[in-house]
Amino acid sequence: MALPNKSNYGKLSAAQTLGLVAGIISLPVYLLWNVATTAYASHNSKRTLKRIITDSALRHVTSTLSNAQLQSAFGTDLTVYEQWTKNNKQPKTIDELGDDAKLLWIGPKRLDRGAFLLPCAEFMVSFWRYVQLELEKQNIEVGFALLSYSLAPYAVFPTPLKQARLALDFLFAAGVKPQNLQLVGDSAGGNMVLQVLSQVMHPLASVPEIRLPGPLRGAFLISPWVSLSATSKSHTENDGRDILTHRTLNAWGAEILKDTPPSDNAFVEAVRAPEDWFAGVDLLVDRVLISGGGAECLRDDIVAFGEAFKKHHKETELVVQKDGLHEDMYLDFALGEKKLSSLTPLTVEWLAAGFLAEPST
């Protein structure tokens, strides 16, 4: 596997550094203007001022800074995880998988049953720790493992898919049973969950085969990035409301598509995959939950994909949160909101139901 030189990670040119500084300096002015003009908008009617400020700040930095600048400013999955464990006085448990991939454990490492997560920011780790503790209240003890993998622009498809395969192989070799494993991916992580399923059904010669010892217990796709082309109506309709803008999604998607062979596009743009691409997916995973937000740019793509996917998997639930933004339930944990998104209890209930129900054989 050809991986980028680690010495390049987080290093910015002089122009990129100036752009990063300019983006940060302009943030207060943007927040004042944006909050003043959107605080009373209908989609913000049930949000606190603190949450509106958080959403606006994320929208500004993701639309102003490049991927390289964002990673330099906020760190990689590994640095975020290490800071989170320090801030929350949690154990730091890391499994090295090889090829620059790592499994990062949230809370106690457990191999009897668990959730395999794809990428996170610090407040997202806090969300999953909250879910873990809520499950423990129901006497359901679950291990949560986060995959730290190589990110764009330093790595291109199918490098992250190869790293996800390493993680699955590690978990199965360690004794994790597929019927006790639920895959969870948000945004690009949701895209990668679908890449994993696609690789099982339509193996690429460039990626080692993924073998599942049996059906996985579940797959949860949170605001999955199923279209990189940013052409659906919701991209313009929700532009300026969501934390990701139309321009940002279009630029990020173009960056990934330019390095993906057209013959492999079904792996990275699931909404445009052939009609029968996911036929047989019900044999690979018992149940699927797909969530999105009514005010996010990806809404129409998520709904279109979800409806198409349900034709191949009857145990699929598609939930669109009214006025929800991209990965909406995470955003409540960015500044410790007490009123949580409706998707938060749904996540707990759905995972709990999966671990308590009888798995398929």
Side-chain angles (χ1 to χ4, degrees):
M1 179 188 302
L3 288 176
N5 188 331
K6 286 185 181 180
S7 64
N8 292 330
Y9 284 127
K11 288 192 174 181
L12 301 179
S13 66
Q16 288 175 316
T17 302
L18 286 174
L20 174 59
V21 173
I24 294 173
I25 290 176
S26 62
L27 178 58
V29 175
Y30 176 86
L31 288 179
L32 284 172
W33 171 255
N34 197 263
V35 172
T37 56
T38 67
Y40 296 100
S42 59
H43 67 281
N44 279 330
S45 61
K46 296 184 179 180
R47 293 188 172 92
T48 65
L49 180 61
K50 183 167 65 173
R51 170 61 196 274
I52 294 171
I53 292 172
T54 300
D55 296 346
S56 298
L58 287 171
R59 184 183 308 114
H60 177 71
V61 297
T62 56
S63 62
T64 304
L65 306 181
S66 68
N67 282 341
Q69 290 168 324
L70 287 168
Q71 290 171 42
S72 177
F74 298 105
T76 63
D77 289 336
L78 178 60
T79 57
V80 165
Y81 170 78
E82 289 176 332
Q83 188 61 48
W84 182 87
T85 57
K86 180 180 179 180
N87 292 343
N88 292 275
K89 297 180 172 56
Q90 291 293 310
K92 183 172 69 173
T93 308
I94 301 173
D95 286 316
E96 296 282 350
L97 305 177
D99 290 329
D100 207 32
K102 300 173 179 63
L103 273 184
L104 317 175
W105 292 85
I106 302 172
K109 178 179 177 178
R110 298 181 60 89
L111 297 173
D112 49 350
R113 57 185 176 186
F116 174 31
L117 311 175
L118 297 158
C120 282
E122 188 168 348
F123 56 86
M124 299 177 186
V125 184
S126 295
F127 171 85
W128 288 111
R129 179 58 176 160
Y130 171 88
V131 171
Q132 190 175 47
L133 294 174
E134 289 298 301
L135 289 171
E136 288 180 5
K137 292 178 183 178
Q138 302 182 41
N139 296 316
I140 303 172
E141 295 186 339
V142 178
F144 283 78
L146 162 68
L147 176 63
S148 174
Y149 62 88
S150 303
L151 303 175
Y154 305 107
V156 298
F157 176 86
T159 293
L161 175 57
K162 293 178 181 180
Q163 294 170 319
R165 182 199 67 85
L166 288 174
L168 287 170
D169 283 353
F170 175 89
L171 291 172
F172 293 142
V176 175
K177 297 179 180 178
Q179 63 265 33
N180 291 330
L181 182 62
Q182 307 206 53
L183 302 186
V184 181
D186 58 84
S187 194
N191 185 306
M192 197 190 299
V193 170
L194 295 173
Q195 288 184 33
V196 167
L197 298 176
S198 295
Q199 177 64 9
V200 176
M201 295 185 292
H202 311 282
L204 290 170
S206 58
V207 178
E209 186 178 357
I210 295 177
R211 292 188 177 92
L212 300 180
L216 300 169
R217 192 66 193 97
F220 181 13
L221 312 179
I222 303 167
S223 293
W225 198 15
V226 291
S227 171
L228 308 186
S229 304
T231 56
S232 62
K233 181 181 177 182
S234 58
H235 279 88
T236 52
E237 181 181 314
N238 290 326
D239 192 28
R241 297 204 286 175
D242 197 6
I243 60 170
L244 297 177
T245 66
H246 176 217
R247 185 180 68 175
T248 297
L249 287 166
N250 191 50
W252 288 358
E255 185 172 343
I256 293 173
L257 285 173
K258 73 179 176 63
D259 293 312
T260 304
S263 58
D264 297 342
N265 277 359
F267 279 81
V268 297
E269 283 208 294
V271 76
R272 291 179 173 78
E275 186 176 350
D276 62 348
W277 184 260
F278 289 103
V281 71
D282 54 334
L283 301 177
L284 305 183
V285 57
D286 289 346
R287 51 206 293 275
V288 178
L289 175 61
I290 304 170
S291 71
E296 74 167 298
C297 289
L298 292 171
R299 181 198 62 205
D300 290 352
D301 298 315
I302 293 168
V303 171
F305 168 76
E307 294 298 339
F309 191 87
K310 285 161 69 173
K311 295 176 183 177
H312 301 296
H313 200 309
K314 65 180 181 179
E315 296 299 326
T316 296
E317 182 179 1
L318 172 63
V319 178
V320 179
Q321 179 191 358
K322 186 179 185 300
D323 292 328
L325 306 183
H326 188 65
E327 304 176 339
D328 196 274
M329 70 272 212
Y330 288 155
L331 303 177
D332 293 330
F333 287 77
L335 286 177
E337 286 281 74
K338 297 191 182 302
K339 182 180 178 182
L340 302 179
S341 160
S342 60
L343 291 178
T344 299
L346 174 64
T347 299
V348 176
E349 293 163 10
W350 188 84
L351 288 173
F355 288 122
L356 294 173
E358 288 295 324
S360 64
T361 57

